[in-house]
């Protein structure tokens, strides 16, 4: 296996990295590429933290990037209020995430959060979600299994799934 420091990573590199170590002084991360298997953050880092190999902000209210490519069922930790843009993006090509459960605290799902999570078929506890970003779930099996028509995620209108017939009148739910 290969372990490297965040200072050494080339985001365009196609070399598999078993564990990426985020040292104390790192304040921003622009890209981690698609070949990182897990992340470990120095406990003294003031901006980031890790749990079970995934990257969070320091106080674990935002899940920044999920890395467990073998995981079939994932429960987002209590206290997480947002899933970052692209946090689960590109979990395809043999990755196994099929089910995810959100905590009651989750309010926001970023753009492309689950983009290309082809086998993700079960998403639980969307009731408290107030914002869902562009194409956050549209390329998942869960989305494909939803009936055509107005599609809500929690209280948020995701959009109209399928082809809307001409002269269709649409009513949006309150909330």
């Amino acid at each position: 296996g290969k372990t490297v420091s965040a200072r050494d990573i080339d985001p365009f590199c196609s070399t598999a990295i078993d564990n990426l170590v985020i040292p104390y002084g790192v304040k921003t991360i622009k890209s981690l590429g698609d070949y990182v298997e897990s992340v470990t953050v120095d406990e003294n880092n003031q901006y980031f933290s890790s749990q079970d190999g995934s990257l969070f902000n320091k106080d674990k209210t935002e899940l920044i990037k999920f890395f467990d490519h073998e995981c079939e069922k994932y429960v987002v930790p209590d206290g997480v209020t947002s899933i970052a843009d692209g946090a689960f993006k590109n979990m395809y090509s043999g990755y196994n995430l099929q089910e995810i459960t959100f905590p009651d605290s989750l309010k926001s799902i970023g753009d492309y959060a689950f983009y290309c999570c082809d086998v993700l078929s079960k998403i639980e506890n969307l009731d408290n979600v107030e914002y869902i970003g562009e194409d956050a779930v549209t390329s998942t099996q869960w989305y494909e299994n939803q009936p055509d028509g107005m599609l809500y995620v929690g209280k948020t209108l995701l959009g109209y799934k399928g082809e809307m017939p001409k002269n269709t009148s649409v009513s949006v739910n309150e909330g």
Side-chain angles (χ1 to χ4, degrees):
K2 185 173 183 180
T3 298
V4 298
S5 166
R7 292 185 178 116
D8 301 327
I9 191 168
D10 174 357
F12 302 104
C13 175
S14 61
T15 302
I17 298 169
D18 292 335
N19 186 50
L20 176 65
V21 177
I22 312 281
Y24 166 78
V26 173
K27 296 179 182 178
T28 60
I29 299 172
K30 293 184 181 187
S31 175
L32 293 173
D34 294 327
Y35 300 97
V36 177
E37 296 293 324
S38 70
V39 169
T40 303
V41 177
D42 183 302
E43 65 184 33
N44 294 315
N45 185 294
Q46 297 176 10
Y47 304 96
F48 301 103
S49 62
S50 58
Q51 182 174 325
D52 301 324
S54 291
L55 183 63
F56 294 82
N57 65 346
K58 183 63 176 181
D59 59 2
K60 292 191 174 124
T61 58
E62 181 178 39
L63 194 162
I64 297 169
K65 189 71 176 171
F66 179 81
F67 292 104
D68 189 347
H69 302 165
E70 301 300 318
C71 182
E72 292 181 4
K73 298 178 183 179
Y74 182 64
V75 177
V76 176
D78 287 336
V80 170
T81 59
S82 66
I83 305 290
D85 293 350
F88 291 79
K89 184 178 177 183
N90 294 331
M91 295 289 292
Y92 60 91
S93 183
Y95 298 145
N96 298 315
L97 186 64
Q98 298 169 28
E99 298 180 22
I100 190 161
T101 302
F102 296 129
D104 290 339
S105 57
L106 188 71
K107 302 292 183 208
S108 174
I109 300 172
D111 295 346
Y112 305 98
F114 295 94
Y115 193 72
C116 291
C117 293
D118 298 344
V119 298
L120 181 60
S121 60
K122 190 172 186 182
I123 301 176
E124 294 187 339
N125 199 18
L126 291 165
D127 297 337
N128 294 321
V129 173
E130 296 171 358
Y131 172 81
I132 185 156
E134 180 179 354
D135 286 330
V137 295
T138 55
S139 62
T140 65
Q141 191 61 49
W142 175 87
Y143 180 82
E144 293 302 319
N145 292 340
Q146 302 304 308
D148 284 355
M150 300 296 278
L151 181 56
Y152 288 86
V153 174
K155 297 176 183 175
T156 302
L157 174 62
L158 185 59
Y160 190 92
K161 181 179 179 269
E163 191 168 324
M164 187 181 295
K166 281 186 169 186
N167 302 321
T168 298
S169 178
V170 175
S171 296
V172 177
N173 295 346
E174 263 188 64

